[in-house]
Each structure stands twice: as structure tokens, then as C-alpha cells.
Amino acid sequence: MVELDPTFIQELEHRPKPALIEAQGIPIIDLSPYIASSPSNPQSLDDLVDQIRDACTNWGFFQVINHGVRLESREKLHSASKRFFDQPVEEKKKVRRDEANPLGYYDTEHTKNVRDWKEVFDFMVDDPTVEPASYESDDEETVEYHNQWPQHPAELRKICEEYVKEVQELSYKLLELISLSLNLPADRFKPFFKDQTTFVRLNHYPPCLAPDLALGVGRHKDSGALTILAQDDVGGLEVKRKTDGEWIFVKPTPNALVINVGDIIQVWSNDTYESVEHRVRVNSTRERFSIPFFMNPAHYTVIEPLAELISEQNPAKYNGFNWGKFIMKRKHSNFKKLDVENLQIFHFKKPDERKIDDVVSRVENLSNKKE
Ligand SMILES: O=C(O)CCC(=O)C(=O)O
Ligand SMILES: [Fe+2]
């Protein structure tokens, strides 16, 4: 019997199943009609937009190939990340995050109040990034966050910055495609990202002696606009299939990036697209590395359903909320185990919508129990 610190142990119903379900996985979309420098033919662009719409509607997740991010920059970052995490913990803790600076290294993240089997290193894409000083709604003070770079490996900073430049270009293209897929102009979302609060996380999941009890990241939805994830060939990411709630393994595909729409796009689209739950399983033999790029708007952005996507027949399902305050509150509860439920976009649903969601989730629970 392996002794596992009880803070890592998932409730029975949330533990990973012994067998992986690969099934028909999330779609793979070839972005070449949009990424290529030569103007593409309109038919292939329409096809691409249709594929994006289907993937966002049916899965909330997809993989992209021919995305313009060079394999070389990605591999360089994976190996620099490995060099960083391979160091003794005392060395890594020289850049550890604390309540004053949320950036850098830490190994105590909790998701839904259970500790994740992972260690991470976070940095902002814009350095410095301006965020609210507190989550109190009447406090207008802001602070500047600065990245903390380690001394070793010295090249980590440059490699991260190079990678980010390429992924950032892709992030705008994906936003454009998503916008077109909602029948909006390609640049509809762009202004929200002028003072963006986008950040990148280097994830390291060490081998775990009790992979049946713990998770690398517990079930969650990404709270930002869009996530672009590079994963290595080990695999571990699982996505909750919308049709039946089954956890589906995302098969690592060479040179593909995994994309998912986050809570913000769910609200902007007034629930046309949903931010889908996912989690990470760990294994007892191989460490895993992954690198999510979390694309987030400026802190002062009020997140609400877009005017073009609501009507009398389809009224706004959410009250607007301030992105910076929302994320501050979330960070506060992720930092340590709290007894309260995490803040979710669900809490901004208009009262009638919350009632409808409650009924739907009760029916879903009933039908899941029958299996
Ligand atoms: O490592 C992964 O595959 C996904 C990580 C993730 O979902 C997250 O950090 O939000
Ligand atoms: Fe995630």
C-alpha cells in the first residue's frame, strides 16, 4: 500500500478509471488555409470556419496542425522546462510565488480543494502586467506584476519569450476564426486584448505512485478566453465528452497543439460555445510536461454576452462581471485550500438561467447514475 499525502486524494467519484477511453477523440483541424502567407481560396476558408464551429459546439476542444508555431521553438522550451524542474526544490523555490507575487514556481496548487500532483512555473506574456490590487469590488487600486526568472537555466527567459511570440500570433488567428464561426467580423475580439493578462504555465507532472487516487490537475474549466496547450508524448489530458459526460483521453499528436475555449468565450457567445471540463491523469512511470498559454483580456474588461449575439428570443444569460476582480478572487481561493466553493461564471448567470441549469444538471446526474 502506497502512502499518499491525503491532500492529494480525490473523492471516489472523481478518481481516474483504470482503462483509458480513447474513442473517437477531439477533432484535428488543419489550419494551413488560414496560416499560409499566400491568400487562400475562399472555399477552403469557409470549410475551416465550419470545422471550428463544429469543434467548438460539439467538444469545446480541438487540436490544430500547420499552426505556424515552429516545432523547434516548442522542443527548445520543453527541454529548458525539464532543465528547470530537474533542479533541487530549494533552487526552484528561489523563484517561488507568494501572496504578493503570484508569478514563478509553486507546487501546492489545489483544484476544487484537492491538491494537484504537479509543479508549475508561471510567467506573464506582457511584462509588467497590470491587475487589480485586490478582489474587493470597491477597491480601484492596481498593481504591476513582474515575471521572476530563475538563474538556472539562464536561457529559460529567452526561450520562453521566443515561444510566446509565435503562440501569440496563433492566438489572434484562432480568435479570428472563432469570431467568424460565430458570424462576427474577424477582429471583433481584438480590442479586448490590448492590455492583455495572458500568461503561460510550464507544467511538470512527476511520476506518481498512486495514479489511481490522485490527479495531475483535478477536473476544471479554464476561466480565460482561449487556451493553447503544447503537450509532450506522454499523454494525460482528458476531456469530458459533452454527449455523455465520459472522460476522453486526448491522444498526443506529433506537432499538434490542443485548443480549448474558456469561460470568457462561453459568456461572450451567450452559451453558444461551452467551456468544457477537463483534467489530467498521472502515471507511475513517466514524468510529463505540458505548456498551456492562457489568453486573457485586459483586467478592466467587463465580460458579458456580445450585443450581436443576443436578441429578444435569445436574451443575455449572464450579468456582466469585471475580469480582473473575478480572477483575483479565483487566485485567492486556489492559493490555499479553502472551505468555500470556487467562484465560477455560473455565479453570474441570470436567476432564471441558473434555475434551468440546475434542472439540467440534476437530470444529467440521474442519467449518469443509471449507468
Ligand atoms: O497539462 C495539461 O494537459 C492540461 C493542463 C490544464 O488543463 C491547465 O493547466 O489548466
Ligand atoms: Fe485547464
Side-chain angles (χ1 to χ4, degrees):
M1 179 69 198
V2 177
E3 283 291 328
L4 180 71
D5 181 325
T7 54
F8 289 106
I9 298 181
Q10 297 283 335
E11 297 277 352
L12 209 53
E13 64 193 293
H14 299 308
R15 292 182 194 165
K17 290 197 184 145
L20 288 180
I21 303 192
E22 266 186 50
Q24 156 111 80
I26 62 172
I28 296 187
I29 301 182
D30 181 351
L31 291 184
S32 42
Y34 206 59
I35 299 291
S37 44
S38 55
S40 67
N41 87 46
Q43 183 54 45
S44 56
L45 182 57
D46 284 353
D47 285 351
L48 177 55
V49 170
D50 287 347
Q51 287 179 52
I52 300 273
R53 183 182 307 109
D54 287 349
C56 291
T57 309
N58 300 330
W59 285 93
F61 266 84
F62 50 99
Q63 304 205 59
V64 291
I65 52 171
N66 296 320
H67 40 62
V69 177
R70 289 174 311 137
L71 186 58
E72 191 199 344
S73 353
R74 180 170 160 177
E75 282 175 343
K76 260 182 159 170
L77 181 48
H78 272 294
S79 66
S81 168
K82 178 163 169 52
R83 288 199 292 284
F84 172 73
F85 287 115
D86 273 350
Q87 300 178 103
V89 75
E90 307 79 64
E91 197 55 38
K92 294 181 275 196
K93 285 197 168 163
K94 288 184 180 161
V95 286
R96 92 160 164 247
R97 97 172 194 177
D98 53 32
E99 263 173 290
N101 185 349
L103 301 167
Y105 172 80
Y106 60 110
D107 60 2
T108 51
E109 189 166 64
H110 290 77
T111 304
K112 304 255 187 313
N113 287 335
V114 182
R115 193 165 159 196
D116 293 333
W117 189 266
K118 68 172 183 192
E119 49 180 351
V120 313
F121 177 85
D122 284 350
F123 64 95
M124 304 301 299
V125 163
D126 284 354
D127 190 14
T129 295
V130 178
E131 299 216 16
S134 78
Y135 60 79
E136 307 295 348
S137 51
D138 52 358
D139 178 4
E140 288 181 13
E141 210 186 319
T142 56
V143 282
E144 276 186 0
Y145 288 143
H146 294 263
N147 289 332
Q148 306 197 57
W149 294 104
Q151 268 184 332
H152 306 287
E155 64 284 8
L156 185 69
R157 176 180 187 161
K158 193 162 158 269
I159 293 174
C160 284
E161 287 172 352
E162 271 172 24
Y163 176 74
V164 155
K165 244 192 258 161
E166 297 180 27
V167 178
Q168 202 164 24
E169 234 174 88
L170 171 65
S171 71
Y172 282 112
K173 300 228 155 153
L174 286 165
L175 268 191
E176 287 170 12
L177 286 166
I178 291 172
S179 196
L180 292 170
S181 77
L182 289 164
N183 300 317
L184 298 167
D187 60 359
R188 178 64 173 91
F189 297 124
K190 195 158 186 216
F192 297 124
F193 295 90
K194 183 170 157 272
D195 300 313
Q196 57 186 271
T197 55
T198 298
F199 73 101
V200 175
R201 171 166 290 175
L202 308 180
N203 276 317
H204 174 224
Y205 305 96
C208 175
L209 290 173
D212 48 339
L213 301 179
L215 286 169
V217 188
R219 77 202 141 84
H220 69 284
K221 299 174 177 183
D222 291 349
S223 49
L226 190 72
T227 306
I228 302 179
L229 176 96
Q231 63 166 335
D232 64 14
D233 62 346
V234 175
L237 176 62
E238 292 182 329
V239 171
K240 196 170 183 177
R241 184 162 59 194
K242 285 178 73 174
T243 48
D244 57 2
E246 203 58 77
W247 289 102
I248 307 295
F249 183 70
V250 177
K251 204 172 158 211
T253 305
N255 204 9
L257 292 165
V258 182
I259 314 297
N260 62 295
V261 298
D263 289 350
I264 292 181
I265 287 188
Q266 173 168 334
V267 175
W268 278 339
S269 74
N270 204 28
D271 284 357
T272 303
Y273 295 160
E274 264 173 64
S275 169
V276 165
E277 253 186 344
H278 51 287
R279 66 182 190 185
V280 175
R281 59 197 290 154
V282 282
N283 71 80
S284 58
T285 51
R286 287 185 75 190
E287 63 179 345
R288 173 173 182 262
F289 294 89
S290 76
I291 307 164
F293 171 103
F294 296 107
M295 189 184 202
N296 294 332
H299 77 87
Y300 48 77
T301 312
V302 175
I303 310 295
E304 58 192 346
L306 297 179
E308 304 92 310
L309 300 180
I310 57 179
S311 63
E312 221 168 297
Q313 295 75 36
N314 180 26
K317 296 189 162 107
Y318 297 86
N319 293 313
F321 60 92
N322 176 289
W323 166 247
K325 296 291 177 188
F326 175 84
I327 207 61
M328 284 302 290
K329 187 129 199 197
R330 276 292 276 272
K331 279 185 195 154
H332 177 77
S333 63
N334 282 355
F335 194 76
K336 46 185 154 232
K337 186 169 166 28
L338 296 176
D339 290 329
V340 292
E341 195 200 354
N342 240 334
L343 183 64
Q344 306 282 343
I345 50 166
F346 174 74
H347 296 116
F348 298 97
K349 273 228 153 159
K350 300 212 179 223
D352 284 354
E353 292 293 331
R354 284 180 78 151
K355 272 189 229 138
I356 297 169
D357 278 5
D358 268 353
V359 173
V360 170
S361 79
R362 257 181 254 148
V363 171
E364 275 174 7
N365 282 340
L366 274 179
S367 57
N368 284 346
K369 277 192 188 117
K370 270 192 246 140
E371 282 166 15

